Amino acid sequence: MKKLLIALFAASLSLGASLAAFAADAGKVGVVVKIGGIPWFNAMEAGIKEQGEKLSVDAFMVGPTSADPALQVRAIEDLIAQGVKVIGVVPNDAKVLEPVLTKAKQQGIIVITHESPGQKGADWDFELASSTGFGEAHAKLLAEKMGGKGEYAVFVGSLTVPLHNAWADAAIAYLKENHPDMKLIGDRYGVAEDVDKSRSTALDLISAHPDLKGFLAFGSQGPIGAGRAIEERRKVGQIFVLGPFSPGQGQKLLMKDAISGGFMWNPKQAGEVFVTLADKLMKGDEIKDGDEIEGLGKVKPDFENRNIIVDQLVPINKDTVAELAAMGL
């Protein structure tokens, strides 16, 4: 009898430990980004960690080794297997992720996305800049630098990143309507999440198009790669590179005018918002029109498309870049 009681006690301890471990996993928030190890997502990871500590949420980031949608699918599958409570994603390919995000939701996991408005399989997507506002801001600046005429090229992270392509659509439409003497080369090039591909593509385009005067590069590595190409070909002041990039990574190129500037939102702030929204949704709170949400301000959600979009553009130029870089961005 004594042995039986000991065995039952041991079994109960084991079960309790298992349940405790499951409960801990159930409260976890895992955020899968496009690629690990680059400044933009390093800043986002800092925001995730700091806000997690502030709100007592076990939050962490997963950064694949390359901008490959298949690696994101695998990472999300791993998080589902862990039984996390919330999965956040910055998608490389919205379509490819639909099935695995739907699977997560079917298993009761909350799904939050960023840089993918209207993402199927997500409970909510949040943006710190509207597609039209972001695209047009860059287009206006490029037109100013180019004097409203000449050839330009457009880079995006990939042809399957919805937000980058929405920015490109807005920028191209604005330039077509307002600056008819600016001519787009081809359509767009899906290289702007890879600095080496951005550089080599820019070099090829410079060689093939003597009248090329500008690059719009939507994707944090695009302006860096194109800026390096401009510097190599000694085209500084003749070809202008605009786009969002990590200030710390691109500061030297900007100060030498190899990059002419751009706009961004704060990726660290985006990391904080992932955790803030996760915490709110895990507690069962609904997101309502007019809510004041830390990091987003007063929101006006699009309930039909499950989007929360605000405009918080930060200019990147010679006057702001040092301060932004000092913030770890």
Side-chain angles (χ1 to χ4, degrees), residues 201-283:
T201 302
L203 289 170
D204 290 344
L205 290 173
I206 292 168
S207 296
H209 299 275
D211 296 326
L212 180 65
K213 299 298 180 188
F215 287 95
L216 277 179
F218 295 118
S220 66
Q221 300 303 292
I224 306 299
R228 289 177 181 174
I230 298 304
E231 193 173 35
E232 285 180 42
R233 290 296 172 86
R234 299 181 180 179
K235 295 289 185 179
V236 171
Q238 300 173 48
I239 300 177
F240 305 95
V241 177
L242 279 301
F245 59 94
S246 168
Q249 187 182 21
Q251 183 173 4
K252 290 181 179 178
L253 290 168
L254 179 68
M255 297 308 292
K256 291 188 288 188
D257 292 318
I259 296 176
S260 297
F263 299 89
M264 61 177 287
W265 60 90
N266 188 331
K268 183 178 179 183
Q269 181 180 343
E272 293 168 356
V273 172
F274 262 123
V275 180
T276 299
L277 288 177
D279 183 55
K280 186 176 179 69
L281 295 172
M282 282 192 293
K283 290 175 178 174

Side-chain angles (χ1 to χ4, degrees), residues 311-322:
D311 271 309
Q312 296 187 7
L313 293 186
V314 178
I316 316 171
N317 53 43
K318 290 182 178 179
D319 294 330
T320 64
V321 69

Side-chain angles (χ1 to χ4, degrees), residues 98-322:
E98 283 179 23
V100 72
L101 295 182
T102 300
K103 177 181 176 181
K105 282 190 69 176
Q106 288 172 344
Q107 296 195 24
I109 298 172
I110 296 165
V111 176
I112 302 169
T113 58
H114 175 52
E115 295 190 29
S116 195
Q119 174 69 54
K120 292 183 179 178
D123 290 278
W124 286 101
D125 177 87
F126 74 91
E127 306 298 333
L128 298 179
S130 68
S131 301
T132 299
F134 198 74
E136 289 187 356
H138 282 92
K140 290 174 184 177
L141 190 54
L142 181 67
E144 178 186 320
K145 296 292 184 181
M146 289 177 55
K149 59 185 178 181
E151 295 181 342
Y152 71 98
V154 173
F155 290 177
V156 290
S158 83
L159 301 181
T160 56
V161 175
L163 191 57
H164 290 190
N165 286 279
W167 296 337
D169 289 342
I172 292 166
Y174 175 86
L175 292 173
K176 185 176 181 180
E177 181 177 351
N178 294 280
H179 298 281
D181 292 333
M182 292 178 66
K183 306 297 182 184
L184 176 65
I185 293 172
D187 184 12
R188 62 197 70 174
Y189 302 85
V191 295
E193 291 296 353
D194 187 310
V195 67
D196 294 324
K197 288 181 181 178
S198 296
R199 171 186 163 276
S200 62
T201 302
L203 289 170
D204 290 344
L205 290 173
I206 292 168
S207 296
H209 299 275
D211 296 326
L212 180 65
K213 299 298 180 188
F215 287 95
L216 277 179
F218 295 118
S220 66
Q221 300 303 292
I224 306 299
R228 289 177 181 174
I230 298 304
E231 193 173 35
E232 285 180 42
R233 290 296 172 86
R234 299 181 180 179
K235 295 289 185 179
V236 171
Q238 300 173 48
I239 300 177
F240 305 95
V241 177
L242 279 301
F245 59 94
S246 168
Q249 187 182 21
Q251 183 173 4
K252 290 181 179 178
L253 290 168
L254 179 68
M255 297 308 292
K256 291 188 288 188
D257 292 318
I259 296 176
S260 297
F263 299 89
M264 61 177 287
W265 60 90
N266 188 331
K268 183 178 179 183
Q269 181 180 343
E272 293 168 356
V273 172
F274 262 123
V275 180
T276 299
L277 288 177
D279 183 55
K280 186 176 179 69
L281 295 172
M282 282 192 293
K283 290 175 178 174
D285 295 342
E286 293 183 6
I287 293 172
K288 300 181 292 297
D289 191 15
D291 276 356
E292 189 79 30
I293 299 176
E294 184 181 357
L296 294 173
K298 185 175 288 189
V299 300
K300 189 173 181 60
D302 175 352
F303 292 99
E304 181 179 353
N305 297 301
R306 310 303 289 175
N307 295 327
I308 306 170
I309 300 175
V310 298
D311 271 309
Q312 296 187 7
L313 293 186
V314 178
I316 316 171
N317 53 43
K318 290 182 178 179
D319 294 330
T320 64
V321 69

